Amino acid sequence: MSDEQTGPTISTTPDSAAMPEAPVPDAAAERRHVPWAAVAVFAVVSCGLAWLVAAPLWARGLGMTDPLLLVLATVMMLTPAIATVAALLVERRQRGERGARGILRELGMWPLKPVGRTLGISAAAIVALPLLIATGLLVVGLLGLAEFDLVGFSGFEAQVAAQLPPGTPAPPIVLLVVMQLVMIPIGAIINAPFAFGEEVGWRGWLLPALRPLGVWPALLISGAFWGFWHSPLILLGYNFGLTDITGVLLMILACMVLGVLLGWTRLRTGSVWPAVFGHGAFNAAAGLGPLLVAADSPVPPAWLAGPAGLITCAVMAVLVAVLVAAGQFRRDRLDARLG
């Protein structure tokens, strides 16, 4: 999750108890030990490339005002995919040739089996991730940290007016808001190629590679590393407006909680695609707060009320708890689909 607003500004079906599903043979499921050498290569390459991509932002010294920020943040999303290739090359030396089909299956890219569950959870992720951000905003409002204008959308109207030449009439604000909201699921699809650049690494390769440690250690460690990988941008003030280790720790926390949800979709379906579309939807909805906040509202700090802030993290943690209580992390529901 990098919260790049590359999109607009703006859970699951239980298994049949009568017919237990047969395990799906999978190369990744054959792992009995963590491939630590490959994990180390993945870590060094992904973080090294992330810092290399972000280096111009540090060299230019413009911080969050740098016009290259969005472009380089988007390019940075592709570095875990390159790291995955490097890790697979190391594994090839250790495990032998597996062929293109075996690699696609190991990364959860193909085949899409079971098709219905994979498509269903992908669709649910596109809806659920923006709803989590919206629920976080609801909590922000209930706590009195901000005021929202859901009728006149005065804050968004002021933003639009500021971007228009003087004297230019603004289009109907409600129409613009509706268009922005409708664009969120479309933005999830538009963001998917860039989200794939991350997810093929975090959930496609790293999570199954760490799976011999256990479900929860694999989910939490892969999520923590995902958060740490964001450091080149977070230390510039990205997401939280903090430029010290506090911002990095907050990003690690956010990615651990969100990583559990995205990782669950990976382990539940054996496919990386639900995580890809969920990640894309989260980024597409990252600008939902400015769309709804009132013009005269106080502005709470991003570390508390932003899309990756503590309040949204708490909302996501509640959903994790619900999934746990519903038995969705039981071993028999996950291991057979690890891919």
Side-chain angles (χ1 to χ4, degrees), residues 306-331:
L310 292 177
I311 290 176
T312 304
C313 285
V315 171
M316 292 189 290
V318 170
L319 178 56
V320 170
V322 170
L323 290 173
V324 171
Q328 289 299 317
F329 285 89
R330 289 204 321 258
R331 186 169 184 172

Side-chain angles (χ1 to χ4, degrees), residues 42-223:
F42 177 87
V44 170
V45 173
S46 60
C47 287
L49 288 178
W51 276 100
L52 182 63
V53 170
L57 300 175
W58 286 85
R60 287 155 60 93
L62 300 177
M64 295 299 295
T65 63
D66 198 314
L68 292 178
L69 177 65
L70 182 58
V71 174
L72 293 181
T74 302
V75 173
M76 185 173 147
M77 295 179 73
L78 304 177
T79 60
I82 299 173
T84 299
V85 174
L88 288 171
L89 291 174
V90 173
E91 279 199 304
R92 178 179 179 181
R93 294 171 63 95
Q94 298 174 331
R95 298 170 57 191
E97 180 62 60
R98 297 187 298 286
R101 184 174 298 180
I103 291 174
L104 291 177
R105 186 168 62 248
E106 178 175 339
L107 297 178
M109 295 170 60
W110 191 262
L112 303 179
K113 292 182 179 179
V115 176
R117 179 180 303 162
T118 300
L119 294 179
I121 292 183
S122 295
I126 290 175
V127 174
L129 271 296
L131 284 179
L132 288 175
I133 293 178
T135 303
L137 292 173
L138 175 62
V139 175
V140 168
L142 292 175
L143 293 176
L145 297 174
E147 297 177 4
F148 297 97
D149 182 356
L150 304 181
V151 178
F153 303 100
S154 55
F156 184 56
E157 185 176 36
Q159 294 179 46
V160 172
Q163 297 174 7
L164 294 174
T168 303
I173 195 64
V174 174
L175 176 61
L176 291 180
V177 170
V178 170
M179 290 175 61
Q180 294 291 304
L181 295 176
V182 169
M183 281 296 294
I184 288 179
I186 299 174
I189 298 172
I190 294 173
N191 290 341
F194 303 103
F196 174 79
E198 287 196 46
E199 290 303 323
V200 72
W202 312 131
R203 258 61 63 176
W205 186 82
L206 184 60
L207 176 59
L210 297 176
R211 178 61 189 86
L213 298 175
V215 170
W216 284 102
L219 288 168
L220 295 175
I221 293 173
S222 60

Side-chain angles (χ1 to χ4, degrees), residues 1 3 203 219-231 234 239-240 245-261 282 302-304 306-318 320:
M1 171 183 62
D3 272 355
R203 258 61 63 176
L219 288 168
L220 295 175
I221 293 173
S222 60
F225 186 79
W226 179 29
F228 176 77
W229 168 84
H230 287 86
S231 296
I234 299 301
N239 279 354
F240 305 109
I245 189 62
T246 306
V248 175
L249 294 176
L250 285 168
M251 194 63 184
I252 289 174
L253 173 64
C255 287
M256 288 176 71
V257 182
L258 179 56
V260 169
L261 295 173
F282 191 92
W303 60 264
L304 178 63
L310 292 177
I311 290 176
T312 304
C313 285
V315 171
M316 292 189 290
V318 170
V320 170

